Amino acid sequence: LWTGWGQILKVTSACGSSNEIIEGPKNVTALKGSEARFNCTISQGWKFIMWALKGTVVLSITPTEPIITNDRFTAMSYEEGSNFISEMIIHNVQLSDAGQIKCSLQNSDRDGSAFLSVQVMGQLFIPEGSLVVMEDKPCNVTCRALGWTPLPRLSWEIGVPVSHSSYYSVREPEDLQSAVSVLALTPQGNGTVTCVAEMKWLHVHESVTVNLTVVQPPLDSIDKPGTSLPAWAIVLLAVSLSLLLILIIVLIIMFCCCVSRKEKEGNFCCCCSKSANMKTNKDTSGTKLKSGNENYGYSSDEPGTTKTASLPAKSSESSVPEQRVSRQPYQGSDQHQLGPASRPQVSFNVASPKKVRNVTLV
């Protein structure tokens, strides 16, 4: 290879050249894996063109054919009027290719140089994937960009109805080639959100989209502070409370009426019960007077108001039997002999029938 280069240099040196570089290459920013093209405009009469990357010759061109030493570096040629245009193409650009590009001629002090910038498009994703959130409740959506050089500009495209939305992007503290963007929004319906990463100086971008499903908040969240209700829920709640209040008032009135009615019926029943008791007492007293047995041993405490009746010769089954056995007289100064005149007597007080004194002689 070096022998060939030496022969080419000897040929060009012997021939000499009065050509020059009219316009050198321009700076190029390429994406990793893509192609980068550099053009160098040279006047007619050139003999040998060399392309160098970061000080190393990677491509040589002669008037007859290019000398290719690496398949990733190829050449194209054009003619523009009286000038010659040499184009070097770098295929499958790598991050290590970033650096100075130089176009030069043999036996010429003037060269043209440019700079190759290489950008790397890394990964872009939303860790949560599709989201299910509550209506009118703030939520966050996170987007991460990993392995980007340089870091992209992150933005959001919101395809859902929202009452509020904002986002911010920061660099990951532990990885200088990664960034994170957080979208804060308050959704009011279903839709999609898209995270967009745009490369600087290149018209290329990467995006990722997720679905956002909005559901109604649970019933137990109504009592929690900071929870807002939709208008229809507020109206329904107000109507329900009004109906409940009316029902409570009606029940209270019905209860009071029932209590008052029971009190009146209780007083009437009490009066009837008292009348019935008095009548029963009278009937019972009369029955006792009619069906009761006479006590022949009764003695009235008020002689002036009593009426004495003599016992008949033969008493009823419940009367005290007549004493048929006579006792021996008791010897003493105040002895009394029981005779026919001293039989047991029954007397009852007409003035006070309720007062009864029973005396039983054995």
Side-chain angles (χ1 to χ4, degrees):
L1 179 61
W2 286 107
T3 303
W5 278 108
Q7 292 176 354
I8 293 173
L9 291 175
K10 288 179 181 179
V11 172
T12 55
S13 298
C15 295
S17 178
S18 60
N19 55 17
E20 61 179 356
I21 295 175
I22 297 174
E23 184 180 0
K26 296 180 180 179
N27 295 335
V28 173
T29 300
L31 191 64
K32 179 183 176 182
S34 64
E35 293 183 351
R37 296 173 177 264
F38 297 90
N39 293 334
C40 187
T41 303
I42 305 170
S43 62
Q44 290 292 342
W46 60 275
K47 299 299 181 181
F48 192 77
I49 302 173
M50 294 179 293
W51 287 94
L53 173 61
K54 295 191 294 186
T56 302
V57 177
V58 294
L59 181 65
S60 299
I61 301 171
T62 65
T64 57
E65 61 181 356
I67 301 174
I68 299 174
T69 59
N70 190 328
D71 292 338
R72 289 203 308 119
F73 301 92
T74 61
M76 295 289 291
S77 60
Y78 312 94
E79 287 188 4
E80 188 180 52
S82 60
N83 298 326
F84 178 82
I85 299 176
S86 175
E87 182 181 43
M88 181 183 70
I89 305 172
I90 303 177
H91 302 274
N92 191 20
V93 175
Q94 299 299 314
L95 188 61
S96 59
D97 296 335
Q100 188 183 44
I101 302 293
K102 184 181 288 187
C103 172
S104 62
L105 298 175
Q106 184 66 32
N107 298 329
S108 175
D109 296 335
R110 186 179 177 184
D111 59 19
S113 62
F115 194 85
L116 173 61
S117 299
V118 180
Q119 295 186 357
V120 179
M121 182 181 289
Q123 298 178 352
L124 184 69
F125 62 96
I126 297 177
E128 295 86 353
S130 298
L131 301 174
V132 178
V133 297
M134 286 188 289
E135 184 179 4
D136 285 324
K137 183 177 180 181
C139 64
N140 294 334
V141 184
T142 303
C143 178
R144 295 184 181 277
L146 303 179
W148 294 69
T149 303
L151 290 177
R153 185 178 67 88
L154 298 177
S155 61
W156 291 87
E157 296 177 357
I158 302 175
V160 295
V162 297
S163 60
H164 169 76
S165 66
S166 63
Y167 73 90
Y168 66 92
S169 302
V170 294
R171 183 193 300 267
E172 290 279 10
E174 299 179 357
D175 188 356
L176 300 180
Q177 294 182 340
S178 301
V180 60
S181 181
V182 178
L183 171 66
L185 73 162
T186 305
Q188 295 180 326
N190 299 330
T192 61
V193 291
T194 302
C195 178
V196 180
E198 185 177 358
M199 302 295 295
K200 296 178 181 178
W201 304 297
L202 292 176
H203 299 288
V204 295
H205 65 274
E206 182 75 11
S207 64
V208 58
T209 302
V210 296
N211 294 322
L212 197 67
T213 304
V214 176
V215 298
Q216 295 294 329
L219 296 177
D220 56 355
S221 64
I222 297 178
D223 298 333
K224 296 181 180 179
T227 303
S228 59
L229 294 175
W232 64 268
I234 295 176
V235 173
L236 181 61
L237 183 62
V239 172
S240 301
L241 291 177
S242 301
L243 295 177
L244 181 61
L245 181 61
I246 294 174
L247 180 60
I248 292 174
I249 294 174
V250 171
L251 292 176
I252 292 175
I253 294 174
M254 293 177 63
F255 177 77
C256 293
C257 293
C258 291
V259 171
S260 177
R261 184 176 178 181
K262 286 183 178 180
E263 289 180 353
K264 290 180 180 181
E265 291 179 355
N267 293 336
F268 177 76
C269 292
C270 183
C271 293
C272 293
S273 177
K274 287 182 179 180
S275 300
N277 290 337
M278 291 178 65
K279 185 177 180 180
T280 303
N281 291 337
K282 288 182 180 181
D283 294 342
T284 304
S285 299
T287 304
K288 286 182 179 180
L289 289 176
K290 292 179 180 181
S291 61
N293 298 324
E294 293 181 356
N295 189 349
Y296 298 101
Y298 173 77
S299 176
S300 175
D301 290 337
E302 297 177 0
T305 59
T306 60
K307 189 177 182 179
T308 303
S310 298
L311 281 174
K314 293 182 181 179
S315 61
S316 62
E317 293 178 358
S318 61
S319 63
V320 179
E322 183 179 354
Q323 298 290 335
R324 299 181 180 273
V325 179
S326 61
R327 298 188 179 189
Q328 295 295 328
Y330 180 76
Q331 299 292 330
S333 58
D334 51 353
Q335 294 180 355
H336 295 278
Q337 186 175 359
L338 185 60
S342 60
R343 291 180 180 176
Q345 297 181 352
V346 165
S347 63
F348 40 87
N349 193 339
V350 177
S352 180
K354 290 183 180 182
K355 187 173 181 182
V356 178
R357 182 177 179 181
N358 298 321
V359 177
T360 303
L361 182 61
V362 180

